[in-house]
Amino acid sequence: MKTESVVERMEALRDYVQGAQGYLGERELAPAEDLVARAGERLSLSRGHTVVALAGSTGTGKSSIFNELAGASLSSVGVRRPTTGETHACVWGADDAGRLLDWLGVGKRHHRDAGSLDGLVLLDLPDFDSVQLAHREEADRLLAVVDLIVWVLHPQKYGDKLVHGDYLARFHRHREITVVVLNQADLLSPEDLRECVDDLRRLLEADGLTGVPVLTASTVKEPGLQALTGTLGRAVAARQAAMRRLEADLEGVVSSLPAGPAVSLGDLPDRLVDALAKAAGVPVVADATRRAYIHRARKVTGWPPLRWVRRFRPDPLGRLHLEGSLSSATSIGPASPAAMAGVSLALRETAARLGEPLPTPWREPLLAAVRSKMDDLPDALDQAVTRTDLGVSRTRGWWRAVGALQWLAVAVTLAGLLWLAVRYVMFALALPEPPMPLVGRVPLPTALLAGGLLASLVIAVLVRPIVAIAARRAGRKVGKRLRAGVERVGRDLIVSPASEVIQRYGRCREALQRARG
Ligand SMILES: Nc1nc2c(ncn2[C@@H]2O[C@H](COP(=O)(O)OP(=O)(O)OP(=O)(O)O)[C@@H](O)[C@H]2O)c(=O)[nH]1
Ligand SMILES: [Mg+2]
């Protein structure tokens, strides 16, 4: 096995935990955090020792095996069940496992001189399925951290559902660090023993523990503990059980972490921009711009005598206080509750759409990010609208040209009128009147008067649709410009917080891939 790779994968898991912190829930991260911490502690304490636990139900012979291997009666073997309540430890070789045993929290310590088991730290656990809660807790605590587990089973109880369902099957990822011992083999005839072992293998297969070593043992007669001693000796010499344990735990943690595909953030969806634009009053301003264009164009191109009437009509844009008011807020008014509800809905939809490829636990932080600056949106949108150049303050050249034509028509009308007036006065005073020039059969002054009026009318009628078309274009242009501003706001306040989450997710995803090995 590659020790380095386990260490590297563990580091990747640490990167994952760090990356996901603040994004994923504590519950989600706790197993990974715990494992990273435990791995660091275990490896820093001792890679030279192999911590082996003797685990099993009461009376299977754990303490007897412990004593037999140690060559002394260290842990009491009793008739009263359960016997062992406190874990005993025995260290083979140099007596330097103090810190490791402190970390394991084992108080009863013994020591044996080196031999084939040099480096072994053997633990005699209380019965794991005990009637005593304290026994169960102690056994569980140690089973979660030891490097190698020897399950000691009894010929009459090896098939116990609880033992398999609650324990062996739960440790199926730990195949590499599992040894099963059928103890008290002396109680069975050789044929029965063979049958028993075959049956046990089948049960273990069902537990997901295919291929784990199944040994037979007896602390009083044949076959003795040779098989177990040999297996322990090899494990201790390889000094890899600790790594294997961590690797198995790593597999478990990593497979429970949420994985998903690579995700990249697209642009703002149109529906969201629509909702933001509505909240920002873009349609209102665009329409006001269109009407202001018409209003202003008519002020210049309209029939001069009527123009002053327009002066008294309010300018559609003036009412919105939009032009030149870079600092002050507009009077479009706060976005209506309906518009803000529309934004809120669109935000949720956006988060749902962006989050769809993400694993479930990442969707929550994404939604939170998308909505994080929601309170700043109204102001930012208002400013985006205020800053946009509406482009209707300029008087167009063609308006002036039309205006001049109108004045000309008025001048002609007035000339005709004046002429007629003079003739009327002369007629009243019975003064001799000069002959009247004719246009066709119409007297010239009448023609001037009627022609001028008609020209005004024709100009007005012809210009009207042109102004309307130009106004619509101006409105559309402003609408587009406003929408671009709104989109910038959306990118700043919605997309960029969301992209932080997506980036985090990407980093964690990559770390998780490394942790998977
Ligand atoms: N025949 C036979 N009896 C055994 C063997 N090993 C242990 N015993 C007996 O089984 C009984 C229980 O042994 P212990 O070693 O106390 O069992 P334990 O697993 O430590 O039990 P707890 O501490 O209660 O969990 C004792 O009476 C032992 O003498 C064996 O290999 N063969
Ligand atoms: Mg015991």
Side-chain angles (χ1 to χ4, degrees):
M1 190 201 39
K2 0 51 184 161
T3 302
E4 286 319 307
S5 98
V6 176
V7 172
E8 275 165 19
R9 288 170 62 192
M10 210 54 96
E11 279 165 2
L13 186 63
R14 191 197 51 213
D15 293 346
Y16 177 90
V17 169
Q18 281 171 356
Q21 225 132 36
Y23 290 85
L24 297 192
E26 202 41 52
R27 264 232 324 264
E28 217 93 43
L29 288 178
E33 261 173 330
D34 291 350
L35 175 59
V36 169
R38 174 153 59 80
E41 286 162 359
R42 175 67 188 88
L43 297 179
S44 76
L45 282 169
S46 163
R47 291 196 199 190
H49 288 99
T50 302
V51 182
V52 178
L54 294 168
S57 306
T58 182
T60 53
K62 300 181 292 298
S63 300
S64 304
I65 293 175
F66 182 81
N67 290 339
E68 188 67 21
L69 289 174
S73 265
L74 304 176
S75 181
S76 46
V77 171
V79 201
R80 203 169 51 90
R81 302 261 69 93
T83 308
T84 311
E86 230 184 311
T87 302
H88 283 259
C90 187
V91 180
W92 272 258
D95 194 5
D96 57 357
R99 283 178 53 225
L100 181 58
L101 289 169
D102 287 346
W103 180 71
L104 290 165
V106 176
K108 304 264 183 212
R109 303 173 182 185
H110 312 279
H111 177 240
R112 285 287 161 274
D113 286 330
S116 65
L117 298 179
D118 194 7
L120 171 66
V121 177
L122 189 64
L123 304 181
D124 177 21
L125 300 194
D127 49 329
F128 61 59
D129 56 347
S130 187
V131 290
Q132 303 274 348
L133 178 64
H135 289 198
R136 290 207 301 269
E137 285 176 350
E138 170 79 347
D140 279 343
R141 183 179 73 76
L142 284 163
L143 284 174
V145 298
V146 298
D147 304 332
L148 190 106
I149 304 174
V150 176
W151 299 97
V152 182
L153 304 179
H154 187 278
Q156 271 150 27
K157 296 185 280 187
Y158 69 86
D160 197 300
K161 276 206 174 64
L162 189 86
V163 172
H164 288 274
D166 282 7
Y167 283 89
L168 289 163
R170 229 179 60 205
F171 283 83
H172 71 272
R173 286 188 205 285
H174 296 76
R175 261 194 308 272
E176 299 281 326
I177 55 148
T178 295
V179 174
V180 175
V181 171
L182 188 62
N183 191 36
Q184 312 205 12
D186 56 281
L187 298 179
L188 299 176
S189 67
E191 298 82 64
D192 289 348
L193 183 62
R194 246 195 315 279
E195 222 170 273
C196 231
V197 169
D198 287 346
D199 193 30
L200 178 55
R201 274 193 215 283
R202 274 193 294 278
L203 289 171
L204 290 170
E205 234 163 81
D207 291 334
L209 288 169
T210 313
V212 302
V214 177
L215 315 174
T216 53
S218 168
T219 58
V220 293
K221 289 193 203 145
E222 284 301 300
L225 296 180
Q226 287 94 321
L228 178 61
T229 313
T231 301
L232 290 183
R234 283 192 295 279
V236 167
R239 304 208 189 293
Q240 287 189 336
M243 278 299 176
R244 289 219 165 102
R245 163 83 210 216
L246 294 174
E247 188 180 29
D249 290 340
L250 186 65
E251 301 287 356
V253 164
V254 154
S255 70
S256 73
L257 288 174
V263 171
S264 65
L265 209 54
D267 216 358
L268 280 180
D270 278 347
R271 294 199 46 178
L272 180 59
V273 182
D274 287 347
L276 290 174
K278 204 164 160 208
V282 169
V284 174
V285 176
D287 189 57
T289 304
R290 181 187 63 81
R291 284 181 294 119
Y293 186 100
I294 292 174
H295 178 81
R296 292 170 195 190
R298 291 221 185 120
K299 259 196 335 202
V300 180
T301 61
W303 193 46
L306 276 180
R307 283 184 198 170
W308 64 273
V309 178
R310 279 226 163 248
R311 297 253 151 79
F312 297 106
R313 289 221 223 142
D315 188 298
L317 274 176
R319 250 186 317 198
L320 296 178
H321 303 294
L322 274 168
E323 286 167 298
S325 59
L326 279 173
S327 52
S328 68
T330 66
S331 303
I332 306 165
S336 72
M340 280 321 282
V343 170
S344 183
L345 181 70
L347 285 179
R348 257 199 306 277
E349 274 176 11
T350 304
R353 218 206 43 178
L354 294 177
E356 212 202 300
L358 296 182
T360 327
W362 282 96
R363 295 181 190 169
E364 186 70 33
L366 183 71
L367 176 63
V370 162
R371 295 164 61 95
S372 61
K373 304 242 170 96
M374 201 167 151
D375 291 345
D376 301 339
L377 270 177
D379 265 0
L381 290 174
D382 208 36
Q383 287 205 2
V385 170
T386 316
R387 292 221 174 99
T388 305
D389 174 21
L390 303 180
V392 281
S393 47
R394 184 166 55 84
T395 304
R396 308 310 198 252
W398 69 269
W399 298 357
R400 278 198 233 281
V402 173
L405 274 179
Q406 282 287 25
W407 275 117
L408 187 65
V410 167
V412 169
T413 309
L414 285 179
L417 194 64
L418 194 66
W419 194 334
L420 285 176
V422 167
R423 281 195 66 98
Y424 179 75
V425 170
M426 289 172 83
F427 171 74
L429 296 178
L431 292 174
E433 292 169 43
M436 182 83 105
L438 290 178
V439 181
R441 271 193 273 148
V442 185
L444 182 56
T446 315
L448 286 177
L449 176 65
L453 281 174
L454 190 68
S456 283
L457 192 70
V458 168
I459 291 169
V461 167
L462 287 181
V463 160
R464 235 183 141 82
I466 297 172
V467 166
I469 289 168
R472 264 206 300 281
R473 263 191 44 199
R476 264 203 305 274
K477 230 158 101 185
V478 163
K480 262 194 206 144
R481 244 181 258 156
L482 289 168
R483 205 177 152 89
V486 162
E487 261 188 87
R488 267 194 298 280
V489 169
R491 270 196 291 275
D492 289 351
L493 298 189
I494 298 167
V495 172
S496 91
S499 80
E500 265 170 49
V501 177
I502 299 286
Q503 272 170 24
R504 270 305 173 108
Y505 163 73
R507 282 224 296 279
C508 285
R509 181 179 171 274
E510 179 270 329
L512 190 57
Q513 270 175 343
R514 276 188 290 127
R516 279 181 199 285

